[in-house]
Amino acid sequence: MVCEKESECIEDMEVEILPSMWPEDIGSEVGKQFNIEKPGRDQDMLEDVTIIEEPTIADFKRLMELTNFTEKGSSQLAYLMKHWEYKQANASRLLREELDSLSKQRQDVELRKMEILEEHRFEEERYGGDKRPVSILEDVYDIWQDVPRRKNKVVVQNKRIEIDAAEYDTVKYWKQRALHSEKLLEASIQREQILQEKLQERIKNIERQSSPVEELSQILKRADNFLHFILQNAPVVIGHQDKELRYRFIYNHFPSLQEEDIIGKTDIEIFTGSGVKESQEFKREVLEKGLPAKREITFETELFGSKTFLIYVEPVFSKAGETIGINYMGMDVTDQVRKRERMAKIREEIAVQKAKETELNKTIHITEETMRAKQMLATMSHEIRSPLSGVESGVMKLEATKFRPREVLKHVLQTAAASLQKILTLEGHVSDDVPIEVVGDVLRIRQILTNLISNAIKFTHEGKVGINLYVVSGTQANEDRCLSTPQSSSDRNLLDAQRHDHPPSQNHAFHGECISPVKSECSANGDTEEHHHSTETTVWIRCDVYDTGIGIPETAIPTLFKRYMQVGADHTRKYGGTGLGLAICKQLVELMGGDLTVSSKEHHGSTFTFILPYKVSIIEENSDDTDELSDMENDEGTCDDTTESFFQFQPRTLGSLFSSNGSSRTQKLLTHKIGYTSSNTSECSFSFPSHDIISKGTCSVQDSSLVVDTPEISESSASSSGQSRETNIENVVSRDKYCQDKGIADSSKHMVAALEMDIATKSSELQQKFKVQGNVTSIFASELTKSTSKPKILLVEDSKINIMVTQSMMKQLGHSIDVVNNGAEAVRAVQQCSYDLVLMDVCMPIMNGLQATKLIRSFEESGKWDAARKALMELNLADLDYECSGPSKKRIPIVAMTANALSESAEECFANGMDSFVSKPVTFQKLKECLEQYLS
Amino acid sequence: MGSGGRLTGNRLQGVVGGRRGCNGAEELARAGACEVTGEWKSRSPVKTGLPLWMLGLGADLLWADMNRLLAFLFHQGVLDEQFLQLQQLQDETSPNFVSEVVNIYFHESEKLLRNLRGLLMEREFSDYKKMGIHLNQLMGSSSSIGAKRVTNVCLAFRAATEHNNRPGCLRALEMLEHEYCYLKNKLHELFQIEQQRALAAGVRYPVQNN
């Protein structure tokens, strides 16, 4: 029992004692990590490990000093002493206890012995001469009851029975008892002996147990082994340096220097090279500050080359608290550092790669967008293409149909609202003075409006998009057109609002302005004027399409209406589109005799304004003032749409509900009714002959594009008529109408241009030159129609097969064609003969189709073949004929024939002045469509 | 007799199923669908010692043969609708238009193919740009006669030249030559049948009775 207890105790102690081998702070915080296994097993474990003790180079004297002088060392020793003392005390306490218990037992035994002896004496006395009467009965027991029963009770009991059996109080009886007692005594002695032996053994054991020195050294050895065990392969250098940073102890598993080379020397004395000084200074810093620190230092020494060490340095203090040196631990992290650097590099490369990738993706995206745009162009629907090419070739038809501006406006807004994908308010204001019904090319106007509105929606993210319609005077139209400086949209809107509020005064002003010039102009041909004015008159309607969108930077405004131009590349990326829309719109507007302008403020919005002349039929609207009024009132009462002045599409009712703002409408009606005499003047004014003339006459005098066009008409008309007379404005107007009906908008346009020149009286020379007579136009027109019946077609193609096929097809379609084999020949052919259509292959030897087209176009613009001559010279080809060169009649439609619409970029075709393209192989269908489009 | 007369005037109209018919190819493809799965085979002549056409009796059969061959070529993608456009161009004023055009095509194409092979076989540096021009020409004329497969191979060939991909070019050239030969053989076959048919249709026997 005692034995076990003791060993347990010792074991417990062992476990407790080991952590104390380690610095206290480690022991308390992470002690568990450093626990060593129980000594027995530990020893076994280390037996298998061969420990090379060589690497340790230690200054043992110094170590002793350290243990003696440093705090840690002394506390360590003190602890070990205390522990040993405690253990000894414990052992002696146990021994004393054992002794105590043994002596107690002996005392017991002795007491018993004495008792027995006493009994014997008593018995003997009784035996000797007992005179006292002894009860033979139960009384005998009384005596035995006095004897302590504790230990011998059983025995005594047995005895008693034996005694009972034997004869009581006989000699024999007493003999027996004595014998028995003897036996007991013997057993007791025997026990005592055993105990004594045990005690001896115990003492011997204790003696055999180790001395404190032994135990200490054992523990130290174990710790040493442990350290060796864990350090034997670690790329670690551990050292201790004194105050002067001289090595006093160093452990290095891979020593490259002998003990004498290191101990007692400083780093600088041992090594040379970069990093050495740094480490020395670092150590000194730690020494001075008294705080442990870590640092990574790269050494470049002759001894071991380039190596990076992670160095941990901690100060060592004396008992008095002074720093007496440093502990130093270094670990070779060269590979890690290299890896880390490589990783960093790789990461950097990855980042660069990623950046490149995103850039590439962007580029791809842009390219795709561009491709899509190209594709879109290539497959651009016939409807979109035709007005453009129509505008370009100048043979577009203008339809004159009656339509209701309010309905058109409403419908355009409704359509836009239906496909609206943003939260925008769409609204439309129609001034009361805008006629209910006007005559114009509603299809084109709708196209322009739709285009402008969709454009506005595209570039607006919040706020509203709207259209204002109101009547302006012809002169005002002119003024507006001349406004080149972009106004801020807000200003413009403000202006618009003002105009809205005061339409009557405006109209009055317009009348005042107009009447006088009319009189002077019209006096010459009073009779014709009247004749025409009884049927119709012209009204100029200004249309503002405004938005609260991103606006247009001022610098971008000049190029805004150019083809394929958008404000910036970013915009194309962000908003898509081809940049064709505005160019087409502008050309359409100009073709109809108006002008398209823009005012914008970046980030605030833009307003696109176009002013167009419309014919108003007076027969329907009654020339009489009072009748007109009553009519109007009736209209209002019966039909909403005809006179509605305000439309709004709120974002909530997107695409589903069309709500005309009732309250505002009644308001408008109210004002309308209050000032009806004045507000209706514009409509009444239609009966004034002057209005028409002036508004017609002032259209776009300064429009340069029209001026360029004028020579051809003047030439043709002059040659065909011979006479020249003062132009009658009315005639021109009627002619205009006539020409439109005939579908020769081209000539009408030129007539208008010529007329403008007249009225503007800009240059008297020009005036003389461009005087045109009324009947000339019809002749000219008929000539044109005649010429279209047998058009001259030129095929420019190098492939024999294609020539055969195309020629044959043309033949079946009833056309004979001229064929040339390359671009240079084409240029020559165009110079020598005027063609109505050129079918141009793109890829050709000598000169390709694009180049040829460009040269032809440059001639058409300049009237000179200089560029073509130069190009031919460069190609070493024969020069053009000189005598044949002269101003071309008109722009020849040139249709590209491409083997692959995408590879031979449609955009390139358009950019070089081609009007459209036919993809190869040519078929009857394609040729027919092409001929219908350009020769009808 | 009656059938022969019908075919004399507009020989090819019957073949293409109407002068301006746009979906002639489809009709033909449908008509010949049963036979297009395998290699097309001309119907074996009846055993008379003499070819039927020489007897002026096989015009109808030959006409059917032609249709089947055409349908087969359409189905195989050798030809496309453009060939029908070409046939539509053939009329009394130019009775041999198709074969004339196709013969010019063969002549031109062989020249181009020779040039292409020469350019590609040049040891040091192939002129890919020039090859591209040749291919554009070949592609243009091939598409014009409706040689669909040749056109497609030309496209691939051109893509290879654009990338200066020499092995690709070589592969494409071989394919192109193969397709071209195939087309040439088939069209020759077609023209031969047509010739026979024309002859057969032209044979007139004196009216015996009446």
Side-chain angles (χ1 to χ4, degrees):
Chain A
M1 216 352 226
V2 181
C3 201
E4 274 174 42
K5 211 177 188 179
E6 204 181 53
S7 68
E8 258 180 35
C9 220
I10 289 166
E11 273 177 15
D12 288 346
M13 302 286 276
E14 293 276 343
V15 176
E16 270 172 30
I17 209 163
L18 279 163
S20 70
M21 275 299 297
W22 304 96
E24 282 145 3
D25 50 346
I26 295 174
S28 61
E29 282 169 34
V30 282
K32 290 275 153 57
Q33 288 180 347
F34 285 94
N35 261 340
I36 300 177
E37 288 182 77
K38 284 173 188 170
R41 271 192 265 167
D42 182 29
Q43 224 89 25
D44 284 345
M45 189 173 71
L46 289 172
E47 263 171 22
D48 300 334
V49 182
T50 46
I51 294 164
I52 307 146
E53 296 196 16
E54 280 169 354
T56 323
I57 301 165
D59 185 346
F60 283 108
K61 226 171 102 189
R62 172 66 183 171
L63 202 58
M64 283 304 285
E65 271 171 41
L66 274 178
T67 25
N68 288 340
F69 288 115
T70 62
E71 272 181 328
K72 247 178 240 168
S74 56
S75 74
Q76 192 78 6
L77 269 181
Y79 187 83
L80 279 169
M81 270 315 285
K82 236 186 254 170
H83 166 65
W84 190 78
E85 276 164 15
Y86 168 73
K87 248 183 103 177
Q88 282 318 105
N90 199 34
S92 58
R93 180 176 55 86
L94 283 168
L95 283 171
R96 223 171 285 132
E97 268 173 25
E98 189 85 354
L99 261 175
D100 280 355
S101 80
L102 279 173
S103 58
K104 222 178 184 177
Q105 276 180 6
R106 208 169 64 182
Q107 270 175 359
D108 272 0
V109 169
E110 268 163 22
L111 196 77
R112 282 262 311 281
K113 199 177 162 185
M114 272 174 49
E115 269 173 28
I116 290 163
L117 285 175
E118 222 168 300
E119 258 177 72
H120 258 288
R121 230 182 292 141
F122 171 71
E123 273 176 37
E124 274 169 342
E125 277 172 22
R126 278 225 322 206
Y127 191 71
D130 186 18
K131 273 126 187 170
R132 199 176 53 163
V134 176
S135 152
I136 304 160
L137 293 171
E138 312 293 292
D139 291 353
V140 179
Y141 296 111
D142 289 343
I143 300 161
W144 289 105
Q145 274 167 349
D146 289 340
V147 179
R149 281 181 184 185
R150 189 171 51 102
K151 284 175 183 174
N152 299 324
K153 195 179 176 182
V154 179
V155 180
V156 174
Q157 207 77 358
N158 287 341
K159 283 282 130 80
R160 201 168 56 102
I161 295 161
E162 275 176 52
I163 289 162
D164 278 341
E167 277 165 274
Y168 179 67
D169 207 12
T170 59
V171 174
K172 198 181 173 187
Y173 165 78
W174 284 115
K175 242 182 197 171
Q176 250 178 5
R177 274 202 66 164
L179 259 168
H180 181 69
S181 290
E182 204 104 343
K183 255 184 214 166
L184 279 177
L185 191 67
E186 250 169 56
S188 175
I189 286 164
Q190 221 168 0
R191 263 206 310 274
E192 199 183 323
Q193 254 174 355
I194 288 165
L195 281 172
Q196 228 141 16
E197 266 168 36
K198 259 191 186 168
L199 186 67
Q200 285 299 320
E201 209 177 301
R202 208 34 77 181
I203 287 163
K204 255 190 224 164
N205 263 348
I206 288 166
E207 273 172 359
R208 249 192 280 131
Q209 289 231 325
S210 52
S211 67
V213 177
E214 241 177 286
E215 200 165 324
L216 248 179
S217 61
Q218 225 171 14
I219 290 165
L220 281 174
K221 196 168 157 101
R222 267 210 310 272
D224 192 41
N225 282 349
F226 171 73
L227 283 174
H228 274 291
F229 171 60
I230 58 162
L231 289 177
Q232 65 176 329
N233 285 317
V236 182
V237 180
I238 302 169
H240 173 81
Q241 283 166 289
D242 63 15
K243 230 168 156 177
E244 287 157 9
L245 293 175
R246 289 183 191 285
Y247 280 96
R248 288 308 185 91
F249 165 84
I250 188 156
Y251 167 87
N252 185 357
H253 184 67
F254 306 103
S256 43
L257 291 170
Q258 294 300 307
E259 186 182 335
E260 60 268 24
D261 293 328
I262 300 171
I263 300 296
K265 289 184 178 171
T266 63
D267 279 325
I268 293 175
E269 283 164 3
I270 301 164
F271 307 109
T272 50
S274 69
V276 176
K277 213 168 173 198
E278 192 189 346
S279 82
Q280 179 94 353
E281 269 157 20
F282 174 55
K283 284 170 186 169
R284 197 165 289 286
E285 208 180 295
V286 171
L287 205 62
E288 278 161 14
K289 283 190 181 162
L291 290 167
K294 274 186 273 189
R295 188 177 288 183
E296 213 174 80
I297 295 170
T298 305
F299 293 93
E300 183 73 59
T301 60
E302 285 175 29
L303 208 63
F304 48 75
S306 174
K307 282 218 159 124
T308 307
F309 280 83
L310 178 66
I311 291 168
Y312 170 71
V313 181
E314 65 169 10
V316 180
F317 301 102
S318 71
K319 272 175 198 164
E322 295 169 78
T323 44
I324 54 162
I326 50 141
N327 283 338
Y328 151 80
M329 180 178 272
M331 185 184 267
D332 183 2
V333 291
T334 314
D335 293 345
Q336 284 69 29
V337 168
R338 236 174 253 157
K339 262 184 217 161
R340 197 177 58 203
E341 277 166 7
R342 235 179 293 147
M343 279 299 285
K345 211 180 246 176
I346 287 167
R347 247 178 241 135
E348 202 177 295
E349 275 167 18
I350 288 170
V352 170
Q353 204 74 28
K354 263 190 187 158
K356 272 187 194 164
E357 230 168 83
T358 41
E359 200 56 38
L360 206 71
N361 275 337
K362 260 189 217 163
T363 319
I364 287 169
H365 182 72
I366 294 162
T367 317
E368 278 173 356
E369 284 292 308
T370 319
M371 282 295 289
R372 218 169 293 148
K374 274 188 191 175
Q375 211 161 353
M376 215 175 76
L377 269 178
T379 55
M380 206 189 279
S381 72
H382 194 71
E383 297 137 62
I384 300 172
R385 230 186 317 155
S386 57
L388 169 65
S389 39
V391 168
E392 277 177 5
S393 57
V395 292
M396 199 184 69
K397 273 190 237 173
L398 280 179
E399 306 277 343
T401 43
K402 238 181 257 176
F403 71 95
R404 297 184 166 189
R406 284 172 185 79
E407 274 175 33
V408 170
L409 185 83
K410 180 183 145 190
H411 188 250
V412 165
L413 287 172
Q414 222 167 354
T415 316
S419 57
L420 195 62
Q421 286 170 338
K422 297 174 179 178
I423 299 179
L424 291 176
T425 303
L426 302 184
E427 54 184 32
H429 293 272
V430 183
S431 166
D432 294 332
D433 51 18
V434 172
I436 288 161
E437 223 166 42
V438 294
V439 175
D441 191 338
V442 65
L443 218 74
R444 304 280 176 237
I445 289 159
R446 198 190 283 266
Q447 224 166 11
I448 295 164
L449 268 178
T450 309
N451 209 325
L452 291 178
I453 276 283
S454 65
N455 228 16
I457 288 168
K458 194 177 184 182
F459 294 105
T460 306
H461 304 301
E462 54 183 359
K464 55 188 182 180
V465 169
I467 306 175
N468 285 335
L469 277 188
Y470 46 91
V471 172
V472 291
S473 71
T475 44
Q476 212 173 354
N478 240 350
E479 275 166 27
D480 278 341
R481 205 174 308 169
C482 299
L483 277 176
S484 53
T485 47
Q487 272 177 289
S488 82
S489 67
S490 53
D491 289 353
R492 181 59 79 105
N493 283 340
L494 232 146
L495 201 68
D496 294 343
Q498 280 171 354
R499 281 183 192 167
H500 262 288
D501 292 341
H502 312 287
S505 61
Q506 185 194 323
N507 281 327
H508 279 305
F510 146 68
H511 277 290
E513 276 171 41
C514 301
I515 285 164
S516 54
V518 168
K519 273 179 186 161
S520 59
E521 280 284 336
C522 301
S523 53
N525 295 314
D527 48 348
T528 35
E529 261 170 51
E530 273 166 21
H531 172 250
H532 284 285
H533 279 289
S534 59
T535 54
E536 59 182 29
T537 180
T538 296
V539 60
W540 287 80
I541 296 174
R542 172 175 163 148
C543 179
D544 293 330
V545 178
Y546 58 90
D547 63 65
T548 58
I550 60 166
I552 304 155
E554 220 169 292
T555 48
I557 286 177
T559 54
L560 199 62
F561 297 108
K562 290 205 176 142
R563 255 190 254 159
Y564 312 112
M565 279 290 209
Q566 280 194 341
V567 168
D570 303 350
H571 283 73
T572 318
R573 239 166 283 156
K574 195 170 167 188
Y575 298 104
T578 56
L580 263 174
L582 282 175
I584 295 175
C585 283
K586 190 171 173 69
Q587 276 177 298
L588 280 173
V589 170
E590 281 168 5
L591 195 71
M592 289 190 278
D595 196 22
L596 177 64
T597 56
V598 64
S599 67
S600 177
K601 194 174 181 186
E602 222 178 334
H603 309 304
H604 286 84
S606 317
T607 303
F608 285 85
T609 303
F610 65 91
I611 302 163
L612 281 177
Y614 303 88
K615 295 210 162 50
V616 181
S617 171
I618 291 168
I619 294 159
E620 274 182 84
E621 288 193 336
N622 217 324
S623 55
D624 200 327
D625 271 15
T626 48
D627 282 1
E628 173 80 13
L629 258 179
S630 62
D631 273 4
M632 287 294 287
E633 273 168 346
N634 284 342
D635 271 352
E636 278 158 25
T638 52
C639 181
D640 275 351
D641 276 5
T642 48
T643 52
E644 210 154 27
S645 59
F646 182 56
F647 312 93
Q648 193 171 44
F649 298 84
Q650 293 286 357
R652 277 188 191 178
T653 60
L654 282 182
S656 56
L657 277 166
F658 157 67
S659 67
S660 79
N661 195 323
S663 63
S664 101
R665 189 182 149 256
T666 41
Q667 217 177 352
K668 292 265 176 186
L669 286 178
L670 213 67
T671 53
H672 174 78
K673 275 181 182 166
I674 289 164
Y676 64 87
T677 38
S678 51
S679 66
N680 277 315
T681 40
S682 67
E683 278 154 304
C684 307
S685 73
F686 297 151
S687 57
F688 287 93
S690 57
H691 184 268
D692 180 22
I693 298 157
I694 285 314
S695 50
K696 191 74 210 165
T698 48
C699 72
S700 192
V701 174
Q702 272 112 337
D703 198 327
S704 56
S705 70
L706 288 178
V707 176
V708 171
D709 285 330
T710 45
E712 25 172 307
I713 304 145
S714 64
E715 189 199 41
S716 62
S717 56
S719 59
S720 54
S721 74
Q723 314 174 329
S724 66
R725 192 162 66 89
E726 188 71 38
T727 313
N728 183 318
I729 295 153
E730 288 320 305
N731 276 350
V732 174
V733 172
S734 70
R735 232 174 21 229
D736 187 21
K737 178 99 172 73
Y738 169 76
C739 293
Q740 275 179 14
D741 293 340
K742 282 274 178 189
I744 310 156
D746 194 19
S747 63
S748 83
K749 183 178 148 195
H750 299 313
M751 289 307 125
V752 172
L755 172 66
E756 282 158 10
M757 300 309 286
D758 253 351
I759 293 165
T761 61
K762 254 195 131 184
S763 137
S764 55
E765 254 182 82
L766 277 171
Q767 210 177 0
Q768 290 297 315
K769 206 175 172 188
F770 299 139
K771 275 164 200 161
V772 188
Q773 212 185 358
N775 57 348
V776 175
T777 327
S778 54
I779 297 161
F780 179 55
S782 64
E783 267 179 359
L784 262 179
T785 37
K786 237 188 264 169
S787 70
T788 47
S789 64
K790 265 200 175 178
K792 280 191 76 71
I793 301 167
L794 178 68
L795 173 68
V796 189
E797 172 66 77
D798 61 321
S799 157
K800 276 187 199 169
I801 310 297
N802 291 349
I803 293 169
M804 282 182 80
V805 171
T806 313
Q807 210 166 18
S808 184
M809 281 181 178
M810 281 296 198
K811 203 172 105 194
Q812 290 207 351
L813 289 170
H815 295 282
S816 63
I817 56 172
D818 293 349
V819 181
V820 291
N821 298 117
N822 62 54
E825 287 175 23
V827 171
R828 211 166 277 139
V830 168
Q831 188 213 18
Q832 285 166 354
C833 186
S834 82
Y835 287 97
D836 297 297
L837 177 65
V838 177
L839 299 175
M840 183 89 79
D841 184 21
V842 176
C843 294
M844 283 182 296
I846 303 171
M847 185 190 283
N848 69 28
L850 299 174
Q851 208 181 344
T853 308
K854 216 167 153 184
L855 292 175
I856 293 168
R857 292 289 181 237
S858 99
F859 156 71
E860 284 170 347
E861 275 163 30
S862 66
K864 288 170 187 164
W865 284 106
D866 296 353
R869 283 217 172 79
K870 207 178 150 200
L872 291 179
M873 288 270 278
E874 275 166 18
L875 290 165
N876 292 322
L877 297 169
D879 201 1
L880 296 168
D881 296 335
Y882 274 90
E883 59 258 48
C884 286
S885 63
S888 160
K889 261 191 187 170
K890 59 175 191 290
R891 196 176 194 275
I892 306 171
I894 300 178
V895 176
M897 299 209 295
T898 60
N900 185 339
L902 282 183
S903 77
E904 292 159 83
S905 146
E907 201 174 307
E908 222 180 341
C909 291
F910 287 130
N912 280 285
M914 285 166 166
D915 294 299
S916 69
F917 57 85
V918 170
S919 64
K920 280 182 186 172
V922 285
T923 60
F924 279 115
Q925 190 60 31
K926 288 175 193 168
L927 277 181
K928 233 177 358 191
E929 272 174 24
C930 180
L931 294 177
E932 273 166 16
Q933 191 183 337
Y934 292 101
L935 298 177
S936 57
Chain B
M1 189 69 160
S3 67
R6 178 169 64 80
L7 285 162
T8 327
N10 266 322
R11 291 182 308 277
L12 274 165
Q13 273 184 26
V15 177
V16 298
R19 195 177 171 80
R20 296 274 190 269
C22 295
N23 49 2
E26 279 171 42
E27 282 167 22
L28 284 172
R30 246 181 279 124
C34 47
E35 274 142 290
V36 293
T37 40
E39 179 68 13
W40 181 83
K41 275 225 153 54
S42 185
R43 210 181 302 183
S44 58
V46 185
K47 285 158 192 159
T48 56
L50 269 179
L52 261 183
W53 58 269
M54 284 191 177
L55 300 171
L57 295 171
D60 282 355
L61 292 178
L62 288 165
W63 181 78
D65 276 351
M66 263 183 78
N67 269 355
R68 263 193 318 211
L69 177 54
L70 266 180
F72 171 75
L73 292 177
F74 276 112
H75 185 88
Q76 295 259 297
V78 175
L79 294 178
D80 63 17
E81 290 82 354
Q82 188 66 22
F83 191 76
L84 299 184
Q85 297 255 337
L86 209 64
Q87 290 189 322
Q88 285 174 45
L89 295 172
Q90 184 163 295
D91 54 17
E92 295 91 89
T93 55
S94 52
N96 293 316
F97 182 78
V98 177
S99 65
E100 274 168 24
V101 169
V102 170
N103 277 326
I104 295 172
Y105 168 75
F106 285 151
H107 185 75
E108 296 275 304
S109 300
E110 267 153 41
K111 215 164 62 192
L112 288 170
L113 281 171
R114 262 201 310 280
N115 286 346
L116 281 170
R117 184 159 275 281
L119 282 169
L120 203 53
M121 288 307 148
E122 267 170 28
R123 270 294 150 89
E124 297 116 48
F125 190 73
S126 296
D127 188 348
Y128 289 107
K129 212 176 159 188
K130 206 165 179 184
M131 277 159 63
I133 293 168
H134 284 329
L135 283 168
N136 266 339
Q137 284 176 352
L138 187 57
M139 196 156 56
S141 49
S142 299
S143 73
S144 281
I145 66 150
K148 191 176 171 187
R149 253 156 57 173
V150 172
T151 312
N152 288 342
V153 177
C154 281
L155 253 171
F157 199 162
R158 196 178 65 176
T161 63
E162 276 163 6
H163 292 101
N164 292 4
N165 176 3
R166 194 181 156 82
C169 286
L170 280 167
R171 262 201 312 279
L173 179 66
E174 264 177 36
M175 239 164 99
L176 188 58
E177 284 170 340
H178 172 261
E179 284 300 334
Y180 172 75
C181 285
Y182 187 77
L183 176 79
K184 193 175 174 181
N185 287 336
K186 289 294 163 197
L187 287 182
H188 268 310
E189 201 176 339
L190 186 75
F191 293 143
Q192 217 170 352
I193 300 172
E194 205 205 334
Q195 217 171 6
Q196 292 171 9
R197 193 190 55 76
L199 280 172
V203 174
R204 290 286 179 278
Y205 289 99
V207 182
Q208 296 282 316
N209 302 317
N210 182 29

